[in-house]
Amino acid sequence: MTRRYSAFSLFKEGLRGQKGWQQAWRSPEPKPRYDILIIGGGGHGLATAYYLAKTHNIRNVAVIEKGWLGGGNTGRNTTVVRSNYFFPESTALYDLALHLYETLGRELNYNIMLSQRGIVTLAHSEAEMEMAARTVNAMQINGTDAELFGVEDVRRVLPLLNFSPEARYPVFGGVWQARAGTARHDAVAWGYARAADRLGVDIIQSCEVEEFLIEGGQCRGVKTSRGEIRAERTGMVVAGHSSHLAAKAGFRLPITSYALQACVSEPIKPVLDTVVLSPGTGTYASQSDKGELVLGGALDRVPSYGQRGNLPVLEDVIAGLLEMFPTFRQLRLMRQWAGIVDVTPDSSPILGESPLPGLFLNCGWGTGGFKAIPAGGTLLAHLLATGKHHDVSRPFDLDRFSRGRLIDEAAGSGIAH
């Protein structure tokens, strides 16, 4: 068995009939006590455990997951990574994630299939072009890459787009971020899990939190379906289920959970080599390495924990796609799903200590969770290891709601998510 993946190890195992590989991570029994406990085995939870072990040398760490690794939003998103946000606090956060993504495959020794194919956010009117110019200026001032596209620039990267003068949403230009793109969602979770396990982290699946252990007004661990697990500090990273667990811990969060739907078409030959988002139609699309068109749209604004979604929202997504690309009208859908996202009033995440001392939060990402995984893990690991904020995470503390220092990216970026 070669723990490090390489061309040589693939060749060697090929000669041996692929019988020498071991499981990518262990499935240990939970210990009664850890230095740090992470609730949630999605991308952010696994990344937090990895950076605790790698950056802070804290290895007596457990990640507990009520289902299976990456079975929540990490495995139910549209895989886009980008940092084209308006406010400097958001740009610092998401650009940190994007920079980490750019070297993550080599760091983890795992192919996360990062494809920096760029993203175009379309403008459909002169007024939207004014907003696009404003966004580009803000992004450049904030230190990330951005370019204002005219019609011919858009035509160059999206030749199949509907440029007809009679189009319902005529193309005037857009915002281009060349470093944006996509990454394989499962590979990100598996890569972090394998690397964290290699550093000694315990990853425990099928382990549901039943209640919090609170002693002397402090969180001292949790009672789970597999027994009590104690820890000096606990991180809660459970996305759309944050409100549910917060209630068990005795406090409320300013979060509403919604279903965000997506779907994929049958695979076709390569026709779309960038990511495209139309605020006018509410639809965004990219093409996967397998040839499927990956499609997403706006939130279903009915609070829900249903992971199947519903037909009216799906119809809106498809209608938006066909407005942009009439040539796709003969494609067949292959599958459709929904993820449960946790949305705050200002559409920005919550990072920091909870009202229960000893319990730290990473939540409220809404539909931006996947693109932020490396940054979310880095920042929560810093909080758990030091008890203090990183400069990037400080603006996203829960206290911003009482201080009135909101970071309203829904209004700033002109995109609801």
Side-chain angles (χ1 to χ4, degrees), residues 37-39 64 208-215 218-224 228-230 233-238 241-251 354 356-361:
L37 178 66
I38 309 296
I39 305 170
I64 59 174
E208 183 174 2
V209 172
E210 296 176 346
E211 60 183 81
F212 287 85
L213 302 177
I214 303 173
E215 298 172 356
Q218 299 269 333
C219 178
R220 298 299 184 186
V222 293
K223 179 182 178 182
T224 76
E228 285 190 0
I229 304 176
R230 292 181 171 268
R233 288 176 176 156
T234 300
M236 192 174 82
V237 197
V238 294
H241 297 280
S242 297
S243 299
H244 176 64
L245 275 190
K248 290 187 176 184
F251 59 89
S354 78
L356 175 63
L359 178 63
F360 291 78
L361 303 172

Side-chain angles (χ1 to χ4, degrees), residues 330-389:
Q330 294 183 4
L331 288 181
R332 293 174 294 180
L333 282 187
M334 191 162 64
R335 60 185 182 275
Q336 170 267 346
W337 66 92
I340 308 306
V341 297
D342 45 334
V343 180
T344 62
D346 62 351
S347 299
S348 288
I350 297 170
L351 289 161
E353 191 166 17
S354 78
L356 175 63
L359 178 63
F360 291 78
L361 303 172
N362 174 329
C363 59
W365 292 97
T367 64
F370 177 75
K371 68 177 71 72
I373 282 174
T378 295
L379 298 174
L380 183 59
H382 182 90
L383 280 159
L384 289 166
T386 67
K388 300 177 181 178
H389 268 291

Side-chain angles (χ1 to χ4, degrees), residues 173-371:
V175 177
W176 169 253
Q177 185 179 36
R179 290 171 52 239
T182 61
R184 175 69 182 177
H185 47 63
D186 292 331
V188 172
W190 297 341
Y192 272 122
R194 178 175 176 271
D197 176 86
R198 191 172 185 180
L199 293 173
V201 171
D202 283 357
I203 298 173
I204 303 160
Q205 301 176 76
S206 301
C207 184
E208 183 174 2
V209 172
E210 296 176 346
E211 60 183 81
F212 287 85
L213 302 177
I214 303 173
E215 298 172 356
Q218 299 269 333
C219 178
R220 298 299 184 186
V222 293
K223 179 182 178 182
T224 76
S225 55
R226 298 177 66 173
E228 285 190 0
I229 304 176
R230 292 181 171 268
E232 293 301 313
R233 288 176 176 156
T234 300
M236 192 174 82
V237 197
V238 294
H241 297 280
S242 297
S243 299
H244 176 64
L245 275 190
K248 290 187 176 184
F251 59 89
R252 294 178 62 188
L253 288 172
I255 281 175
T256 305
S257 294
Y258 298 104
L260 179 69
Q261 297 185 58
C263 55
V264 296
S265 74
E266 61 184 324
I268 55 177
K269 291 182 178 181
V271 295
L272 186 62
D273 62 355
T274 189
V275 183
V276 57
L277 186 152
S278 169
T281 67
T283 298
Y284 53 99
S286 63
Q287 188 169 15
S288 74
D289 294 328
K290 294 189 293 183
E292 304 161 343
L293 293 181
V294 184
L295 313 172
L299 289 171
D300 182 350
R301 288 292 182 176
V302 177
S304 171
Y305 288 94
Q307 292 183 315
R308 291 185 299 177
N310 61 53
L311 186 58
V313 172
L314 182 62
E315 288 177 333
D316 288 343
V317 171
I318 301 305
L321 176 74
L322 298 185
E323 290 285 349
M324 291 191 289
F325 299 99
T327 190
F328 292 158
R329 62 185 179 274
Q330 294 183 4
L331 288 181
R332 293 174 294 180
L333 282 187
M334 191 162 64
R335 60 185 182 275
Q336 170 267 346
W337 66 92
I340 308 306
V341 297
D342 45 334
V343 180
T344 62
D346 62 351
S347 299
S348 288
I350 297 170
L351 289 161
E353 191 166 17
S354 78
L356 175 63
L359 178 63
F360 291 78
L361 303 172
N362 174 329
C363 59
W365 292 97
T367 64
F370 177 75
K371 68 177 71 72

Side-chain angles (χ1 to χ4, degrees), residues 393-405:
S393 66
R394 182 66 190 88
F396 298 94
D397 193 274
L398 187 61
D399 68 2
R400 73 178 186 272
F401 296 103
S402 60
R403 293 186 296 118
R405 299 287 295 177

